[in-house]
Amino acid sequence: MTGTTEESTGEVTSRPRKASWRYIGPGIVVAATGVGAGDLVATLIAGSKFGYTLLWAAVIGCLVKISLAEAAGRWHLATGRTLFDGWRSLGSWTTVYFVIYVVVWGFVYGAAAMSSSALPLDALFPGTMDLKWWAVLCGLVGLVFVWFNRYAVFEKVMTVLVGVMFVITVYLAVRVTPNLGDAFAGLAPVLPDGSLIYTLGLIGGVGGTITLAAYGYWVNAKGWTDTGWMKVMRLDNRVAYLTTGIFVVAMLFVGAELLHSSGVALAKGDKGLLDLGDVLADRYGTVTAKLFLVGFFATSFTSLIGVWHGVSLMFADFVSNYRKRGEATTGTEVASGSREKSLPFRAYLLWLTFPPMALLFLDQPFGLVIVYGVIGAFFMPFLALTLVWLLNSSRTPAEWRNGILSNVMLAGAGLLFVVLCVQQVRDLPW
């Protein structure tokens, strides 16, 4: 690339590009993928139980995600190496954990993502086909879309779906007529009785998944491979999570005004959103309820195709790294697009799609659910704490290592996710 040099230290440098709105993309992808139907239900329930009181927690949650995604993107651009390459440099234990995680997590997540996408379609088109077949259809559409399209098309479709999500949720927030005085009061950090777990969930749960680790891969897939793109990446990341913040606050408003005031309780899990659809139909009519279901589908399907693409890209990098036996895997390789056509990428796509379909027709095996829950709970602490390790060591060029603010945010995120991890493990049906 013109103007790019590599110094003797191994640091990749280039002429800085001006941060511009026209470059925005990977951040929108990671934010949309990370916010799923389960996150919306958690936000709605928090709003229904505590009104606007926990609004401050949603804001802090967005700041935590900005710091994590920025750190992942900074590693890719500052070192020219992929995140998995960095993990491997910390020891073989990271490889063992990653392999177990993506195999077990991917198997159960595949079924969950397909089911979540199927629920609003089944409600929008009642009686058309069984819910399980809607789920199978969603999985197959996601497979075909990611299989035959490269990152550029994937990003455009994700951006359109995010636009749909954003417009509908903001419309709903305006429609329920929020009390702005109470909302501003909710920015003051207060913990009502019984709110600790909901507070931690709002801070750590919304948008917090393995897809945060995929952000650096999407940054590379966009063609950003060196430090010249650092300002662009940071703008991209902030805009994405500002959008997510507005999205989450809008859903909290809906929970506070529509559910808290009337004492309506939602079912846990994705089906809680169908309950909200019924409440909207009673209060505002069928059109508003249908619009909400379209937004519900957009939220769920962006998570599905985002994981299908992003985690498959990470798995392909893992396989490439393993084959090279010590030779660094670089962001330039990801930018070339060859990974998206590779056998490991497509093999993991198939793994996410077809084996999980068995879970759609069977009750999920009890032992598998427990293993999935335990492994999944440990990933976010793993991500936060390994980023602290990598970005404070000689593996990262001195100019791009963590400052005080980054260390405070990442260490705080790591501690938060450890607490959430312990709580999630305690809540499992042992």
Side-chain angles (χ1 to χ4, degrees), residues 68-385:
L68 281 165
E70 188 276 340
R74 177 155 44 95
W75 166 265
H76 277 249
L77 296 182
T79 65
R81 298 159 61 191
T82 64
L83 184 55
F84 188 84
D85 192 67
W87 283 339
R88 186 182 52 79
S89 73
L90 300 178
S92 59
W93 65 274
T94 58
T95 300
V96 172
Y97 176 77
F98 180 79
V99 171
I100 295 173
Y101 181 84
V102 295
V103 171
V104 179
W105 177 88
F107 180 46
V108 182
Y109 179 83
M114 287 185 269
S115 295
S116 180
S117 298
L119 281 170
L121 291 176
D122 189 49
L124 280 167
F125 306 103
T128 304
M129 67 173 85
D130 186 78
L131 180 65
K132 295 181 179 64
W133 292 110
W134 276 119
V136 169
L137 179 62
C138 289
L140 292 176
V141 170
L143 170 70
V144 171
F145 172 74
V146 175
W147 188 290
F148 291 104
N149 289 294
R150 302 281 75 82
Y151 174 79
V153 176
F154 165 71
E155 182 191 283
K156 286 182 175 63
V157 170
M158 289 288 277
T159 302
V160 170
L161 291 174
V162 167
V164 172
M165 292 162 54
F166 186 82
V167 169
I168 290 175
T169 51
V170 171
Y171 163 75
L172 289 176
V174 172
R175 190 73 192 268
V176 299
T177 319
N179 185 320
L180 296 182
D182 288 349
F184 280 113
L187 294 174
V190 175
L191 276 177
D193 291 342
S195 67
L196 179 60
I197 298 304
Y198 293 97
T199 302
L200 293 175
L202 270 180
I203 295 173
V206 179
T209 67
I210 189 175
T211 53
L212 279 167
Y215 179 58
Y217 289 88
W218 283 322
V219 162
N220 288 158
K222 180 77 169 176
W224 307 347
T225 57
D226 54 56
T227 55
W229 293 100
M230 198 69 76
K231 288 183 178 179
V232 175
M233 181 274 292
R234 284 170 168 163
L235 175 66
D236 172 73
N237 179 38
R238 289 165 187 164
V239 168
Y241 280 101
L242 175 62
T243 304
T244 302
I246 295 172
F247 184 65
V248 171
V249 167
M251 294 309 291
L252 195 71
F253 282 8
V254 172
E257 290 294 340
L258 196 62
L259 306 177
H260 181 65
S261 58
S262 57
V264 175
L266 297 182
K268 289 185 177 180
D270 299 347
K271 290 184 179 179
L273 293 182
L274 295 183
D275 292 346
L276 178 61
D278 294 338
V279 174
L280 289 169
D282 291 339
R283 187 75 63 89
Y284 301 110
T286 304
V287 173
T288 297
K290 296 288 187 185
L291 272 177
F292 169 72
L293 289 172
V294 171
F296 178 4
F297 173 74
T299 302
S300 298
F301 197 64
T302 52
S303 293
L304 187 152
I305 60 175
V307 167
W308 262 231
H309 187 277
V311 183
S312 296
L313 205 53
M314 293 179 70
F315 183 78
D317 184 53
F318 153 71
V319 173
S320 175
N321 196 288
Y322 179 79
R323 286 173 175 169
K324 289 187 175 184
R325 301 281 183 173
E327 183 183 343
T329 54
T330 67
T332 305
E333 295 173 57
V334 179
S336 71
S338 59
R339 294 278 170 82
E340 296 167 273
K341 302 175 183 177
S342 68
L343 179 60
F345 181 91
R346 289 178 167 174
Y348 193 73
L349 260 181
L350 295 173
W351 174 254
L352 281 169
T353 306
F354 290 106
M357 287 180 182
L359 298 184
L360 299 174
F361 294 90
L362 301 169
D363 290 333
Q364 295 183 6
F366 181 73
L368 183 63
V369 173
I370 291 179
V371 174
Y372 162 72
V374 172
I375 293 176
F378 278 92
F379 187 80
M380 291 306 289
F382 168 80
L383 175 62
L385 297 175

